[in-house]
Amino acid sequence: MPDNPLVIDLQGVEKRFGRKVHALKGVDLRVHGGEVFGLLGPNGAGKSTLVKCMLTVVRPTAATGTLLGKPVGHKPTLARVGYLPEHARFPKHLTGRQVVSFYGAMAKMPGTLRRKRTDELIDLVGATDYADRRVGGYSKGMQQRIGLAQAMVNDPDLVVLDEPTDGVDPVGRRDIREVLKQIRDRGKTVFINSHLLSELEAVCDRVAILVQGKVAKQGRIDDLTIDQRYYRIGFDWTRDTARPDAAASALGVALKKTDVRSGLDVLRGEREGVWFELHGPNLSVGVEEPKDAWPIIDMLRNAGLVVRSVQPMRPSLEDLFMEVAEHGSSDGGVKR
Amino acid sequence: MSQTYALLMDAYRELNAKKLFWITLVLSGLVILIIAAMGLDREGYSIFGWTIPLPFGEMFQYMTDEQLAEARASFYKGVFHEIGVTYWLTWAAIILAIISTAGLFPDLMTTGAIDTLLTKPISRLRLFLTKYMLGLGFVALQVAIFSICGFLVIGIRASAWDPTIFLAIPIVLLFFSYLYAVCVLIGVVTRSTLLAVLLTILAWFGMFIINYADSIILTLQAEAVVETEISEQRADYMLTLPNRPDPIPEPVAEQADSPGENRETEEVEPGTAQATANADSDVQDLDFVSPWGDFDTSTREGYAEAWGDESTLRNQAGSAREMAASLEKWRGYAFWVKTPLPKTGETRELMKRVLREETDDEYFKFDPSEDPEEFYGDSLFNTRMVLVEEKKFELSRAQRPWAWILLTSLLFELAVVGLAAWRFCRRDY
């Protein structure tokens, strides 16, 4: 994917609302063709504003870059883009089928093709049963499915989805995930803005984390978490080492009780640049290579502890997000 | 093109879903039905078959068929203009139209709705203008249906197939477009349908107040001008009358004492209007009944007793002229106040102006050599109202030409719509 041409290439996107609100403070963002890209960030980070700047809904205070190879703001290019906004509201007097067809016409699709695509997409998003009812009577989930169909009706090269699974039940979420994968498999690019980290983790190739109007992290999830890989060593308690501090003693580390995982009894400590975290009969060790864990395993065994498992671990997207959201990132850089 | 067609279809579906569109159409049908139910024949006026007794109703019995047909056509056209255009289309139906269309822009600009449209390859200005034109189309459709029905009713009921009826379409559309421009601007700025309706009606009320004040000044000025003209005319006419003869000694024997003799002494040329007037007064009853008492107005003294002597009449004319000049100044102020504003009242009256210009203006012209009382019959007092109306029309036409009405109003609309379009295109959503 990184070898594919850039579909979104934004540089220095800045947006001020009046004099007080500085929503975007120079965002650089790159999305390659054919990938599913996730934009994360806490509330008020500027995610929706960034998407709106990209799609001409909001006028950026400053921005350079391209969208599908054309300068940002080039209206004809938007015929190749599909968009589902957060809290989408469609004309209540139209049926679901008419909504999809209407937005297809607004994207300058010829009538015959539009009708064919509409029928296909209604079927694809599973809205056939209610497609001929007025959207005024739809539930949130039904509206999102129709919204997804309208975002794809013009067979866009780039699909931008703002909270696509908002209000959708678990079955619907799974369906939407499948649809997104189908879009990606056709070589299209998907840009998702969502709070649901697990959803993103399941479908995204790359992510960017936006914090206070700046990109704090950007890249593949694996790459972003490479610095935080660790090993989890599971062992059994014996009578002699029944106290957690026995493990600490064996390691020669002063473990202190922390409240990082609130409600759980977690002990943390550090020695020679390696961090340790003891959580019940599991010891997490902040080393990247397996061989670096061997001396630690030996120490545990010498102290009479029975090692039963050693697992390489990676922080989840949620862990990454929480860390960035809480501490920010000084690099703000792009990993690949 | 597919975008415009899609927006048109969307607007049609929206209108179709809005009950107010159909309610307005049904009410329009009722108004047309009422106009069609009105009648005019030799018995007088009627509605739904019931004849309305009027004091002057019998005049239709003495008309020829052509005169009656003409009266019937004028009647239906007048009713169409007064009830159909003035009260229905530019009053009640306009309020319904404002309520129906006020939500177009606030609904369009709702977060979640506008985003999707703006990310399509359509410019904001085109989107704005298309929506704006569709709002006007709502009213155009309503007025067109109403006018076609009115045209058919007048054609069938009065055998007068008058295409000037269709002037109602552009005139009502213009009238609505001024208010709609204000409504759109408020809707775009506030994104609130309720505020758009309320503030538009408030603005309309403001325009109505200014129009009303202007209309009062115009009426007073017209009255002053008519007063000037009548007083001058009376004074001029008085000079043509003979002096009252000396008391005739008994027995009366000499023809020279008759008023006709006196007129000859004033060397009136035969064949002139004055000669005709004198001849008429020879045969008329000398005891003219003025509203203020019985006077012999065939002599200068008698006429002076009835209306005042020459200097009094000249003074009256002078005072009235001064009053007219003063009011003219106030109308000048009103003119400048109204110039930048939309001319709702004048636009509505444009149709009347067109219909009026078709009539014979000569009917209302004074002949200065004639006795005003003779010219208008015994009811100058009542006729004065007609004269004032006529003078208002004349003054209005002179100071407020149609080009001023239309161009300044359209400039206002252009400015307001331009401001709304600028706001719509520049704002963030």
Side-chain angles (χ1 to χ4, degrees):
Chain A
M1 308 284 179
D3 299 331
N4 288 351
L6 287 171
V7 167
I8 299 171
D9 182 12
L10 301 178
Q11 291 138 33
V13 181
E14 199 170 327
K15 179 63 188 176
R16 285 177 183 273
F17 293 102
R19 290 182 180 177
K20 292 183 179 175
V21 182
H22 200 173
L24 298 174
K25 301 168 183 170
V27 172
D28 296 336
L29 197 71
R30 280 178 281 284
V31 178
H32 295 271
E35 68 181 6
V36 179
F37 189 91
L39 182 64
L40 329 175
N43 289 333
K47 303 186 298 294
S48 291
T49 304
L50 178 63
V51 169
K52 287 178 177 183
C53 282
M54 196 166 73
L55 299 178
T56 74
V57 180
V58 165
R59 290 171 184 277
T61 308
T64 52
T66 58
L67 186 75
L68 291 164
K70 299 285 182 184
V72 172
H74 186 247
K75 273 283 179 186
T77 304
L78 295 176
R80 295 166 58 201
V81 177
Y83 176 51
L84 172 64
E86 187 182 12
H87 309 305
R89 288 180 61 154
F90 302 115
K92 290 178 182 174
H93 53 273
L94 298 182
T95 65
R97 196 179 300 278
Q98 286 167 346
V99 165
V100 178
S101 180
F102 171 71
Y103 288 107
M106 294 305 292
K108 296 187 171 180
M109 284 184 76
T112 317
L113 180 62
R114 194 170 70 230
R115 280 185 286 278
K116 185 168 169 278
R117 282 282 295 169
T118 300
D119 292 342
E120 281 174 11
L121 288 167
I122 292 284
D123 189 43
L124 182 71
V125 299
T128 313
D129 291 345
Y130 48 85
D132 294 312
R133 277 163 39 197
R134 284 188 181 174
V135 294
Y138 281 12
S139 68
K140 185 77 195 336
M142 291 171 170
Q143 282 200 41
Q144 285 299 90
R145 285 169 187 258
I146 290 296
L148 196 61
Q150 70 77 27
M152 295 189 299
V153 67
N154 52 333
D155 195 19
D157 294 324
L158 169 65
V159 183
V160 180
L161 307 171
D162 200 346
E163 302 291 353
T165 53
D166 187 23
V168 181
D169 60 29
V171 177
R173 286 181 187 182
R174 189 198 58 200
D175 292 348
I176 288 175
R177 266 203 309 272
E178 291 305 314
V179 169
L180 295 180
K181 283 175 182 169
Q182 282 188 37
I183 299 172
R184 182 183 54 186
D185 293 345
R186 286 189 208 170
K188 312 292 183 185
T189 309
V190 182
F191 186 102
I192 308 177
N193 185 0
S194 178
H195 282 106
L196 295 171
L197 303 176
S198 55
E199 296 287 334
L200 288 180
E201 197 161 16
V203 293
C204 287
D205 301 308
R206 292 173 70 243
V207 296
I209 301 176
L210 201 62
V211 181
Q212 294 179 346
K214 281 185 173 178
V215 175
K217 294 265 185 193
Q218 183 175 179
R220 289 169 54 85
I221 296 173
D222 284 347
D223 297 336
L224 292 176
T225 55
I226 196 163
D227 296 340
Q228 296 165 44
R229 283 182 186 166
Y230 62 96
Y231 282 83
R232 178 174 290 166
I233 303 167
F235 53 85
D236 289 334
W237 297 108
T238 64
R239 192 191 307 170
D240 297 336
T241 59
R243 297 195 336 262
D245 56 352
S249 173
L251 295 169
V253 178
L255 294 177
K256 294 177 182 173
K257 196 168 187 177
T258 69
D259 57 356
V260 175
R261 307 270 193 261
S262 58
L264 297 174
D265 193 15
V266 178
L267 297 170
R268 276 199 164 205
E270 192 175 319
R271 193 188 72 182
E272 295 169 4
V274 177
W275 59 265
F276 298 89
E277 184 178 286
L278 188 65
H279 184 196
N282 291 304
L283 178 71
S284 296
V285 184
V287 292
E288 291 181 17
E289 299 300 327
K291 62 181 174 50
D292 295 335
W294 292 345
I296 297 163
I297 294 167
D298 289 342
M299 279 189 266
L300 291 171
R301 289 174 61 196
N302 291 340
L305 296 168
V306 179
V307 176
R308 57 174 169 77
S309 64
V310 178
Q311 283 180 285
M313 301 296 289
R314 189 199 75 175
S316 67
L317 190 56
E318 187 178 346
D319 295 329
L320 181 67
F321 175 78
M322 291 303 291
E323 188 195 321
V324 174
E326 284 171 9
H327 306 297
S329 173
S330 56
D331 60 10
V334 179
K335 296 245 177 187
R336 278 212 241 170
Chain B
M1 194 61 199
S2 65
Q3 292 173 323
T4 307
Y5 179 72
L7 286 168
L8 182 70
M9 282 304 292
D10 177 53
Y12 164 74
R13 286 171 176 143
E14 190 172 356
L15 288 180
N16 206 24
K18 276 188 176 172
K19 292 187 176 73
L20 260 182
F21 178 78
W22 295 107
I23 290 171
T24 309
L25 213 54
V26 168
L27 290 175
S28 284
L30 279 177
V31 173
I32 285 292
L33 190 67
I34 289 169
I35 293 174
M38 289 179 171
L40 174 65
D41 53 26
R42 293 193 184 283
E43 301 299 315
Y45 297 108
S46 65
I47 185 163
F48 290 110
W50 291 299
T51 303
I52 303 165
L54 291 171
F56 50 88
E58 68 273 10
M59 70 180 176
F60 299 117
Q61 291 174 6
Y62 305 110
M63 286 182 172
T64 62
D65 287 346
E66 289 79 21
Q67 285 173 329
L68 188 65
E70 202 175 312
R72 192 179 287 130
S74 296
F75 167 73
Y76 275 108
K77 277 194 268 183
V79 165
F80 178 81
H81 180 265
E82 287 301 321
I83 297 178
V85 176
T86 305
Y87 289 106
W88 173 240
L89 287 182
T90 57
W91 183 241
I94 287 288
I95 293 176
L96 292 177
I98 289 171
I99 294 170
S100 301
T101 55
L104 277 182
F105 278 89
D107 288 351
L108 172 73
M109 294 167 71
T110 312
T111 305
I114 187 75
D115 317 36
T116 324
L117 276 176
L118 291 183
T119 55
K120 301 300 173 196
I122 182 170
S123 75
R124 291 188 182 197
L125 185 62
R126 188 173 157 209
L127 184 63
F128 174 89
L129 291 177
T130 309
K131 272 280 178 186
Y132 183 77
M133 296 309 288
L134 290 173
L136 290 182
F138 165 82
V139 171
L141 186 65
Q142 293 271 0
V143 182
I145 293 170
F146 186 83
S147 298
I148 290 168
C149 293
F151 178 73
L152 293 175
V153 163
I154 295 171
I156 293 165
R157 296 281 284 151
S159 302
W161 302 96
D162 186 0
T164 55
I165 294 297
F166 292 110
L167 271 176
I169 301 174
I171 286 174
V172 175
L173 201 58
L174 269 173
F175 182 95
F176 173 72
S177 70
Y178 309 150
L179 299 172
Y180 184 56
V182 175
C183 188
V184 166
L185 176 63
I186 297 166
V188 165
V189 172
T190 65
R191 293 208 251 184
S192 160
T193 304
L194 188 64
L195 273 179
V197 171
L198 291 179
L199 293 180
T200 302
I201 289 177
L202 193 66
W204 188 10
F205 183 69
M207 292 172 209
F208 171 78
I209 294 291
I210 293 170
N211 270 333
Y212 190 65
D214 184 43
S215 160
I216 288 173
I217 297 171
L218 177 65
T219 306
L220 292 174
Q221 189 193 4
E223 280 178 352
V225 172
V226 168
E227 176 65 31
T228 309
E229 289 178 354
I230 290 178
S231 297
E232 290 282 7
Q233 197 181 5
R234 280 175 178 154
D236 290 346
Y237 176 69
M238 180 190 284
L239 295 178
T240 68
L241 294 175
N243 291 324
R244 181 179 285 163
D246 294 333
I248 300 165
E250 289 293 336
V252 180
E254 296 298 324
Q255 286 282 322
D257 289 342
S258 72
E261 284 287 326
N262 283 339
R263 278 173 203 156
E264 279 174 16
T265 60
E266 289 173 16
E267 296 179 333
V268 175
E269 278 189 39
T272 61
Q274 188 182 326
T276 311
N278 289 346
D280 286 345
S281 63
D282 285 343
V283 294
Q284 75 181 12
D285 183 0
L286 295 180
D287 294 330
F288 171 71
V289 179
S290 88
W292 295 277
D294 296 344
F295 298 98
D296 172 12
T297 55
S298 63
T299 64
R300 194 175 291 182
E301 289 76 9
Y303 198 86
E305 284 164 6
W307 305 110
D309 58 21
E310 189 197 351
S311 65
T312 309
L313 287 170
R314 299 283 182 206
N315 284 341
Q316 279 179 2
S319 304
R321 194 177 291 112
E322 278 177 24
M323 171 71 83
S326 167
L327 289 164
E328 175 68 23
K329 199 169 64 181
W330 281 100
R331 278 199 72 226
Y333 297 148
F335 176 83
W336 288 113
V337 167
K338 289 180 81 173
T339 294
L341 297 174
K343 266 56 78 181
T344 48
E346 280 95 343
T347 303
R348 183 169 50 202
E349 295 300 311
L350 276 179
M351 190 164 177
K352 193 188 269 185
R353 208 182 262 201
V354 172
L355 293 175
R356 189 74 164 274
E357 278 166 358
E358 288 180 347
T359 62
D360 183 8
D361 286 348
E362 291 302 312
Y363 178 75
F364 296 99
K365 296 291 183 200
F366 280 114
D367 182 345
S369 64
E370 283 189 272
D371 180 356
E373 280 63 46
E374 284 284 320
F375 186 76
Y376 295 109
D378 292 348
S379 56
L380 177 61
F381 191 70
N382 294 328
T383 313
R384 195 184 177 102
M385 285 170 63
V386 177
L387 289 175
V388 169
E389 282 302 310
E390 195 55 33
K391 189 56 71 179
K392 278 169 67 178
F393 180 70
E394 193 182 310
L395 288 170
S396 182
R397 194 166 50 179
Q399 197 196 33
R400 316 276 169 89
W402 65 266
W404 174 81
I405 296 169
L406 294 183
L407 291 179
T408 55
S409 300
L410 286 173
L411 272 176
F412 168 87
E413 186 177 343
L414 190 67
V416 172
V417 171
L419 193 61
W422 177 81
R423 185 80 181 118
F424 181 84
C425 294
R426 296 297 304 176
R427 79 177 298 160
D428 292 327
Y429 296 94

